[in-house]
């Protein structure tokens, strides 16, 4: 019988900004220092962290140290048959430090954002999955859609 590390799931606060920037930066292997995205992320976090109506930033702590996080943000759009209220939550940046993977922290974070999406009456939760993360999202009930994701960087 293996014992899981003692962990705590909570919502991020302003004091978490440095560690969250570090975790988010780990998603981009060659990004370091004070790139423009970090400056913008710092400002976004400071203005959003306490806004539970449009964003959810859960973290998992182990021994008082944040080891995993995710972001849920509310996107408002035109209501349609697939999104009757026009309320979509975008799930992004689900990341766990390498030494803490395999303990179910990603599942805790995804479930937390899904529960928040239900509380704020979103119609659906959308995400882009890496091949490594796909199994986690499928277990949570996510399914591939017909529309491939496209983007235009400005």
């Amino acid at each position: 019988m293996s014992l899981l590390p003692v962990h705590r799931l909570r919502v991020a606060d302003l004091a978490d900004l440095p560690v969250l920037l570090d975790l988010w930066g780990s998603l981009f292997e060659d990004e370091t220092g004070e790139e423009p995205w970090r400056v913008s992320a710092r400002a976004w976090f400071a203005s959003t962290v306490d806004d539970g109506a449009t964003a959810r930033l859960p973290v998992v702590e182990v021994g008082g140290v944040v080891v995993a996080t995710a972001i849920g943000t509310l996107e408002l759009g035109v209501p349609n048959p697939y999104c009757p209220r026009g309320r979509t939550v975008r799930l992004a940046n689900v990341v766990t430090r390498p030494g803490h993977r395999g303990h179910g922290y990603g599942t805790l974070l995804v479930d937390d954002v899904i529960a928040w999406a239900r509380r704020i009456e979103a119609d659906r939760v959308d995400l882009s999955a890496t091949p490594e993360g796909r199994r986690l999202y499928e277990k949570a009930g996510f399914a591939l859609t017909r529309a491939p994701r496209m983007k235009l960087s400005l």
Side-chain angles (χ1 to χ4, degrees):
M1 178 173 142
S2 69
L3 298 175
L4 288 178
V6 176
H7 66 273
R8 178 170 78 115
L9 176 70
R10 65 172 176 82
V11 177
D13 59 36
L14 276 174
D16 296 314
L17 178 56
V19 71
L20 293 183
L21 285 174
D22 183 50
L23 279 166
W24 296 334
S26 73
L27 295 171
F28 313 101
E29 294 175 23
D30 57 350
E31 301 292 331
T32 60
E34 283 299 313
E35 303 86 5
W37 78 264
R38 286 183 187 267
V39 173
S40 297
R42 183 177 292 109
W44 177 86
F45 183 81
S47 68
T48 307
V49 69
D50 293 324
D51 182 4
T54 61
R56 178 80 174 178
L57 291 101
V59 297
V60 174
E61 284 182 342
V62 174
V65 176
V66 173
V67 300
T69 189
I71 302 171
T73 53
L74 177 63
E75 297 176 355
L76 301 176
V78 177
N80 62 67
Y82 303 103
C83 194
R85 292 177 289 240
R87 297 173 62 85
T88 300
V89 165
R90 165 87 38 206
L91 174 61
N93 294 14
V94 179
V95 59
T96 301
R97 290 200 185 280
H100 295 273
R101 293 180 183 155
H103 297 294
Y105 302 147
T107 298
L108 288 173
L109 295 165
V110 169
D111 290 349
D112 180 83
V113 171
I114 292 170
W116 171 73
R118 287 187 172 115
R119 286 193 304 275
I120 64 166
E121 298 182 339
D123 297 304
R124 67 182 195 219
V125 179
D126 288 350
L127 60 82
S128 297
T130 62
E132 297 82 18
R134 189 168 165 184
R135 195 177 109 230
L136 164 69
Y137 304 122
E138 288 172 340
K139 283 176 34 181
F142 288 86
L144 289 174
T145 64
R146 292 182 306 162
R149 183 170 183 225
M150 297 175 72
K151 68 180 177 180
L152 170 66
S153 295
L154 303 176

